[in-house]
Each structure stands twice: as C-alpha cells, then as structure tokens.
Amino acid sequence: MPPTPPCPCSSGLRYTACCARYHRGTAEAPDAEALMRSRYSAFALREVDYLWRTLHPDHPDRSRPREDFVRELRAQASALKYPRLYVLDRQLTDPSGTSVVLFYARVFESGKDRSFVERSEFRHDGTGWRYRSGEARAPQSLPAPPESLTLATFAASRGPAGE
C-alpha cells in the first residue's frame, strides 16, 4: 500500500499523521495554529463540514443556514487549488482568550494566482479552538514579500487607525 500523501498544511507530515484526525473528529486541534493549518487542509481537501464545525459561534457565517454555507463553500472550493501554506507569525492567547495567526496561503483558480495573507483570530469555545474572524490582503498590496511579514508589519501596513 502506498504511503499517504503529505498534508496540505505544509507541516511536512503525512496527512494521516497530521490534519486527518481533526477532520475525522477523533481529536481537536491543540492550539490556534494547528486549527488554522487544519482549516487550510480542509479547504484543499474540500472538507467543508469540518470548516463549518470549526467556525466560532461569533463568526457571522454561523447565523446562516448550515446547508447553504456548506453548499456554497463546496462549490467555491472545487474551483481552487491549494499548493502551499506558510505560517508567518503567531500570538499566544491574550487575556480575552484570543489567539492570532498570520499566514500566507498560496491559492490558484484556473491558473490565476488568488493567494492571500491573512491575520486570523481564534477562540476556544469550551470544546476546541474555533475560527472567529480574519483580515485578508492580497500579497501585491503589502509593502514587503509575504514570507517576510510579521503580525507587527502586517498591522503597520494598514496605515493609521487600521485603514
């Protein structure tokens, strides 16, 4: 039997030793970075039920019918390729219970580059870490190559008062 493929989250591990257990529901991601990686893998593998399950109750999409969210996400994901993820920076849990991860997602649609850099916020909901919100930017709108960004340089690139 051939070995399982590498995990799409770019951890260097095989999928079965990495994000598969989270997608299957046999384990919860132990921290915000692991959840972010597993969500990237879920997009790549079209594990849309997992994407729904790992949305924080405060996320705006949670107010939508689950079936609509899953159907739309499945249609969107089928047109995209997810070849590489770079975790750029992270902030451990602050006093409000929020953890932050900055990442660069390589994404392509019909050969067109749709890659983005995102600052994502995560919170634990009592069961596991959940995606609460994110601010995404196109790499060409940033003042430096995406791979060199930190949370501080990403925030500074927004301009005064977060513009």
Side-chain angles (χ1 to χ4, degrees):
M1 188 168 183
T4 60
C7 192
C9 81
S10 304
S11 66
L13 299 173
R14 297 283 177 197
Y15 175 68
T16 54
C18 195
C19 293
R21 60 188 168 201
Y22 310 136
H23 295 168
R24 293 179 186 140
T26 59
E28 287 285 338
D31 55 42
E33 181 181 336
L35 179 66
M36 187 275 311
R37 286 181 174 280
S38 69
R39 286 179 55 84
Y40 179 89
S41 291
F43 277 103
L45 299 171
R46 295 159 186 75
E47 294 282 348
V48 294
D49 290 322
Y50 179 77
L51 294 168
W52 172 261
R53 184 165 49 91
T54 57
L55 282 178
H56 192 275
D58 292 344
H59 192 282
D61 281 336
R62 275 300 194 153
S63 66
R64 302 176 57 211
R66 179 192 173 282
E67 296 76 23
D68 291 349
F69 174 86
V70 168
R71 183 182 57 253
E72 290 169 18
L73 202 53
R74 189 171 283 122
Q76 177 189 22
S78 66
L80 301 172
K81 302 288 185 216
Y82 298 82
R84 182 88 174 122
L85 174 69
Y86 301 88
V87 175
L88 305 174
D89 199 4
R90 69 207 47 75
Q91 171 192 310
L92 298 179
T93 309
D94 68 15
S96 76
T98 301
S99 286
V100 178
V101 178
L102 181 70
F103 66 92
Y104 175 34
R106 299 288 294 162
V107 181
F108 292 86
E109 179 180 26
S110 300
K112 293 182 181 170
D113 192 348
R114 304 286 188 219
S115 300
F116 60 94
V117 176
E118 183 172 319
R119 178 193 178 278
S120 294
E121 291 188 0
F122 301 88
R123 280 208 177 148
H124 204 282
D125 70 354
T127 300
W129 286 97
R130 303 294 182 249
Y131 175 70
R132 187 164 177 262
S133 65
E135 176 190 351
R137 311 248 322 265
Q140 57 272 22
S141 72
L142 298 166
E147 296 89 342
S148 68
L149 292 170
T150 64
L151 285 164
T153 58
F154 183 82
S157 71
R158 285 183 281 182
E163 293 176 8

